Amino acid sequence: MELASAVSGLIRAPDPGLLWSKCRIPLLDSRSNRVSVGVGRSVKEMRDARRIASFVVNASSGGAEMETLVVKKTGLRDFKVLAGRPLPFGATACEDGVNFAVYSGSAEAATLCLFTLSDLKENKVSEQISLDPVVNRTGNVWHVFLQGDLKNLLYGYKIDGKFQPEEGHYYDYSRVILDPYAKAVTSREEYGVLGLDGGNWPQMAGMIPVSDVEFDWGGDLPLRLPQKDLVIYEMHVRGFTKHDSSKVDFPGTYIGATEKLDYLKELGINCVELMPCQEFNEMEYFGHSTAMKGKKVNFWGYSTINYFSPMIRYSSAGMSNCGHDAINEFKTFVREAHKRGIEVLLDVVFNHTAEGNENGPILSFRGADNSTYYMLAPKGEFYNYSGCGNTFNCNHPVVRQFIVDCLRYWVVEMHVDGFRFDLASILTRSSRLWDSINVYGNPKDGDMLTTGSPLGTPPLIDMISNDPILRGVKLIAEAWDSGGLYQVGQFPHWTVWSEWNGQYRDIVRQFIKGTNGFSGAFAQCLCGSPNLYQAGGRKPWNSINFVCAHDGFTLADLVTYNNKCNLANGEDNRDGENHNLSWNCGEEGECASITVRRLRKRQMRNFFLCLMVSQGVPMIYMGDEYGHSKGGNNNTYCHDNHLNYFRWDRKEDSSSDFYRFCHLMTKFRSECESLGLDDFPTGDRLQWHGHRHCAPDWSKTSRFVAFSMTDKVMQEIYIAFNTSHLPVTVSLPERPGYIWEPLVDTSKPSPYDFLSDDLPDKPTAIKQYAGFLHSNLYPMLSYSSIILILRPDPESLL
């Protein structure tokens, strides 16, 4: 019930633990600019929240401003409340307090909720501060400034309004939601453990920043490595060191991964692409699976809750210091990576969130303004271009500004070097209620667009591409989505975007396993896919080349299984890709004859050699360098176990075999000037060959591709792939006064597959080829590839 005429009076707190206080309520009459005094809904909410307040009016320049509100409660420190400012969004630490600002376009009321860490664990709100819609609202932004010491406190919001899903509104005042701009999220401390109440969605809250917390970057600056020189390593933070054989102090954490950075440097990696490590809930679809013999979790993390917060449970510190320590652990990883010449890219998931469809939880965006943040159909249904229940409304003005703000934060504050955008084609789709007059200021051709239609000039991609901060970082698109939009080679790029080249993966897989009709397409892949990128003004390094990634078979499984084995996921083998373009080399599964196992190793070497000699940027999936197997499971998103853990013990066991080959191949690529060109190779330095030199065979039945390339360091290199089931003797280009010297032959067992300088019997191994080489010939076994180096012929000097 409203109190209509209280200028100043005593209000007895219903809770005897609260103090007595005076309450003066200033309200602004917008029609007359006069200050009146009364108590409305905000006071009722204050009483419901069991607190008391004291308002002081400061009228000036014909207006009114809520200057101070003193809040007192037993067990919680005193602070003052001011009107605050609408920008910047989020919680912003100032010299004498913190400003809070949150966007909500259709909210009728908003309340700032404060938590102590102990209260949060018990799902209790420590303090509530109702915001006055006159004083604490500017446009569609609710704001308030808390003056005082807020260290070690957490926050969230209650936002009230219509709960009408058919109109796109999901306001629910009974729920405390996360600020989309929160910089750290606190909920559960230990990975894979349910909340105290046994639920998988315990109350979450954002960290309140403080101005006196600084991180020692030690003079860290962006590396700005030329993209053409990158060798990318797709890595899962937890999976990299969680296995016992990692022998790190804090397995499965940012600190644990930091301890292993020297290994990556030794392998020849100068860029890591971290699978999602923005806050997500690994327990979101928790359940015990008989098939899995344990817990089913969201291990990969492609289901973001908050885009500013690093994944708290990837830190050894957990919730200590309300998330500040977790932020510092991530920063430590970046700083130490940079010291070793390794850039850090984040895999970001702006295509959907963890809130799912209409049956999903209200966590943050949905409770703040569902109709702004998500693509909705006319009756409130969720568009599902992501395949995960909802689609982020990326090209809405508020949402695209949110995304740009987030990316800037990770670059400026966290020092990351770039981003890989999951299902990036969604970022090019039109927003809900698309109106080009509102977006561009004038109508455009083809303005009659439905929600989600592909845009030729997407405002979000335009903003990112031309942003003064973001234009200088690496931007990589996964240029497709689950709605059928496939944009590889056609993603709007402004010359700064690169792409995961899915066509490279598919063509290389088919050619290497001996499928007819791919010799010409394979040659395009070796040149950096000019058929995809040259006409649009891009370069070879805009192609991110990969054979395997987290999603699909590992390299070892690619040559071991024809069919996926996903029963352990608990979905009756229905999940995961059915068309893997794999070949088991004659027998299905790991138990195979010695002949088949040898062929599999040869094929693994063929794939890796192809990746390292192709123009463009090679990307290696974590564990492929030692032959990690997931037992044929090509969709291990739900496994927190050995399937997804890097096996350091197996890496050591194979250090004299495939790991050695991979290490030497990455080193060879870095030493060759011709294998990381800034532009597509031309006939001035590249020659194609067939079984006979200068006679390439591009017929549909050809399974042989070879080329020679002049190189400023190696002088000239010759590379050939024989993917036929038959051996062949090839004739080599004639170079008077020189002889071709074998360096790599994937048909040979280790260590003779790569004749490195430290191999004691290298001269003897080379002499075995002397009869062929002096005749400009070289014998190649079936399913093999070679690299030869041009050397001065000692006999020509006699």
Side-chain angles (χ1 to χ4, degrees), residues 457-504:
T457 310
L460 173 60
I461 305 301
D462 189 350
M463 285 181 67
I464 294 173
S465 303
N466 293 290
D467 185 82
I469 293 173
L470 301 178
R471 188 174 175 85
V473 304
K474 275 75 175 179
L475 302 170
I476 302 171
E478 184 185 37
W480 56 83
D481 65 21
S482 297
L485 183 55
Y486 189 81
Q487 296 175 308
V488 172
Q490 300 174 8
F491 190 84
H493 56 80
W494 278 265
T495 72
V496 298
W497 285 79
S498 302
E499 299 171 7
W500 263 28
N501 191 343
Q503 292 193 30
Y504 178 97

Side-chain angles (χ1 to χ4, degrees), residues 525-586:
C525 292
L526 292 173
C527 291
S529 301
N531 56 314
L532 295 177
Y533 301 112
Q534 191 170 33
R538 285 189 280 181
K539 304 296 182 181
W541 45 264
N542 290 119
S543 172
I544 308 301
N545 302 329
F546 65 103
V547 175
C548 299
H550 68 275
D551 194 1
F553 280 148
T554 66
L555 186 57
D557 290 347
L558 186 66
V559 300
T560 305
Y561 296 90
N562 284 353
N563 303 302
K564 65 183 182 183
C565 302
N566 294 2
L567 286 172
N569 299 351
E571 300 181 40
D572 296 326
N573 213 39
R574 294 188 303 270
D575 63 306
E577 178 60 56
N578 292 316
H579 307 286
N580 296 285
L581 305 176
S582 60
W583 179 43
N584 62 17
C585 298

Side-chain angles (χ1 to χ4, degrees), residues 438-662:
N438 290 334
V439 174
Y440 297 110
N442 59 281
K444 295 280 184 179
D445 292 338
D447 190 39
M448 298 300 293
L449 295 175
T450 59
T451 300
S453 296
L455 300 172
T457 310
L460 173 60
I461 305 301
D462 189 350
M463 285 181 67
I464 294 173
S465 303
N466 293 290
D467 185 82
I469 293 173
L470 301 178
R471 188 174 175 85
V473 304
K474 275 75 175 179
L475 302 170
I476 302 171
E478 184 185 37
W480 56 83
D481 65 21
S482 297
L485 183 55
Y486 189 81
Q487 296 175 308
V488 172
Q490 300 174 8
F491 190 84
H493 56 80
W494 278 265
T495 72
V496 298
W497 285 79
S498 302
E499 299 171 7
W500 263 28
N501 191 343
Q503 292 193 30
Y504 178 97
R505 172 199 59 204
D506 297 344
I507 291 168
V508 167
R509 286 186 179 191
Q510 293 183 91
F511 181 78
I512 294 295
K513 74 187 182 82
T515 305
N516 284 339
F518 286 94
S519 58
F522 181 72
Q524 294 273 16
C525 292
L526 292 173
C527 291
S529 301
N531 56 314
L532 295 177
Y533 301 112
Q534 191 170 33
R538 285 189 280 181
K539 304 296 182 181
W541 45 264
N542 290 119
S543 172
I544 308 301
N545 302 329
F546 65 103
V547 175
C548 299
H550 68 275
D551 194 1
F553 280 148
T554 66
L555 186 57
D557 290 347
L558 186 66
V559 300
T560 305
Y561 296 90
N562 284 353
N563 303 302
K564 65 183 182 183
C565 302
N566 294 2
L567 286 172
N569 299 351
E571 300 181 40
D572 296 326
N573 213 39
R574 294 188 303 270
D575 63 306
E577 178 60 56
N578 292 316
H579 307 286
N580 296 285
L581 305 176
S582 60
W583 179 43
N584 62 17
C585 298
E587 298 177 28
E588 186 76 355
E590 295 185 21
C591 296
S593 64
I594 186 66
T595 301
V596 168
R597 294 202 301 271
R598 284 173 178 167
L599 177 56
R600 288 173 178 174
K601 284 192 172 184
R602 191 187 311 171
Q603 287 290 76
M604 289 172 64
R605 289 191 285 265
N606 289 336
F607 279 119
F608 200 87
L609 185 149
C610 173
L611 192 61
M612 288 298 121
V613 302
S614 298
Q615 301 296 327
V617 178
M619 185 185 79
I620 306 166
Y621 176 54
M622 180 183 84
D624 276 352
E625 72 271 24
Y626 69 82
H628 181 79
S629 173
K630 297 182 180 181
N633 193 325
N634 70 356
N635 191 31
T636 57
Y637 70 99
C638 56
H639 294 273
D640 182 29
N641 56 33
H642 66 281
L643 292 180
N644 284 316
Y645 293 169
F646 189 100
R647 294 293 301 271
W648 294 92
D649 51 347
R650 293 187 179 177
K651 177 262 170 185
E652 294 299 330
D653 291 344
S654 65
S655 61
S656 61
D657 193 352
F658 190 56
Y659 170 77
R660 172 185 177 272
F661 181 83
C662 294

Side-chain angles (χ1 to χ4, degrees), residues 98-365:
V98 177
N99 190 77
F100 297 85
V102 62
Y103 167 86
S104 185
S106 303
E108 297 172 359
T111 297
L112 176 66
C113 300
L114 303 180
F115 299 84
T116 63
L117 190 55
S118 58
D119 281 351
L120 178 70
K121 291 178 179 179
E122 297 179 8
N123 289 336
K124 294 194 307 184
V125 177
S126 306
E127 186 61 86
Q128 301 186 62
I129 303 168
S130 295
L131 306 186
D132 188 287
V134 175
V135 178
N136 297 110
R137 183 175 183 176
T138 302
N140 290 329
V141 181
W142 296 79
H143 48 83
V144 65
F145 184 89
L146 300 189
Q147 187 179 72
D149 180 15
L150 281 79
K151 191 172 184 179
N152 295 325
L153 292 181
L154 305 160
Y155 79 106
Y157 291 99
K158 288 184 176 182
I159 298 182
D160 203 2
K162 297 178 181 178
F163 188 89
Q164 295 180 333
E166 66 278 6
E167 294 184 10
H169 300 307
Y170 283 79
Y171 293 110
D172 186 345
Y173 192 71
S174 68
R175 300 177 184 271
V176 180
I177 64 169
L178 276 173
D179 179 1
Y181 277 80
K183 301 307 186 292
V185 174
T186 300
S187 59
R188 293 177 296 102
E189 188 162 25
E190 188 175 350
Y191 187 98
V193 177
L194 294 171
L196 294 177
D197 61 356
N200 58 343
W201 286 107
Q203 180 62 54
M204 294 177 285
M207 171 197 76
I208 295 181
V210 292
S211 58
D212 60 349
V213 174
E214 293 186 4
F215 178 76
D216 181 10
W217 280 105
D220 179 66
L221 293 172
L223 295 177
R224 295 192 178 94
L225 300 178
Q227 188 158 315
K228 68 182 184 65
D229 296 333
L230 295 186
V231 177
I232 299 176
Y233 190 84
E234 189 189 21
M235 186 181 102
H236 190 282
V237 170
R238 179 173 173 84
F240 193 47
T241 61
K242 184 57 182 173
H243 195 266
D244 291 342
S245 61
S246 70
K247 298 179 181 179
V248 298
D249 293 334
F250 299 100
T253 67
Y254 302 119
I255 296 300
T258 302
E259 292 186 46
K260 293 294 188 178
L261 285 171
D262 287 333
Y263 161 76
L264 295 177
K265 184 176 181 180
E266 176 190 75
L267 178 59
I269 302 301
N270 58 10
C271 180
V272 291
E273 182 181 296
L274 302 181
M275 289 175 65
C277 52
Q278 294 165 315
E279 186 67 23
F280 66 92
N281 180 10
E282 76 280 6
M283 306 296 282
E284 69 172 298
Y285 36 71
F286 168 78
H288 285 276
S289 168
T290 303
M292 293 175 58
K293 300 179 181 179
K295 297 179 292 187
K296 182 174 183 177
V297 302
N298 177 7
F299 186 79
W300 284 352
Y302 289 91
S303 190
T304 312
I305 293 171
N306 179 276
Y307 292 96
F308 285 85
S309 171
M311 176 63 169
I312 296 296
R313 289 170 300 285
Y314 281 173
S315 74
S316 64
M319 296 191 302
S320 67
N321 206 10
C322 292
H324 287 285
D325 292 345
I327 292 174
N328 287 343
E329 284 194 20
F330 181 89
K331 290 179 176 180
T332 298
F333 175 85
V334 175
R335 182 191 66 197
E336 296 306 307
H338 285 176
K339 285 182 180 179
R340 292 159 176 80
I342 299 173
E343 293 191 330
V344 178
L345 309 182
L346 290 189
D347 192 340
V348 291
V349 191
F350 287 112
N351 58 80
H352 76 283
T353 76
E355 292 182 302
N357 59 18
E358 64 276 5
N359 298 315
I362 299 174
L363 305 172
S364 180
F365 304 97

Side-chain angles (χ1 to χ4, degrees), residues 664-675 685 709-719 735 738-741 743 754 757 762 787-792:
L664 291 171
M665 278 304 308
T666 56
K667 183 173 182 288
F668 173 74
R669 177 183 175 87
S670 68
E671 293 173 346
C672 284
E673 169 269 340
S674 62
L675 296 182
R685 65 185 309 168
M709 179 93 75
T710 58
D711 187 277
K712 294 179 181 178
V713 177
M714 302 292 178
Q715 189 158 330
E716 191 171 3
I717 57 178
Y718 175 92
I719 300 172
R735 301 291 186 261
Y738 294 87
I739 191 171
W740 292 102
E741 180 180 290
L743 178 68
F754 196 114
D757 290 337
K762 176 180 177 179
I787 300 177
L788 310 179
I789 307 295
L790 193 65
R791 304 293 192 197

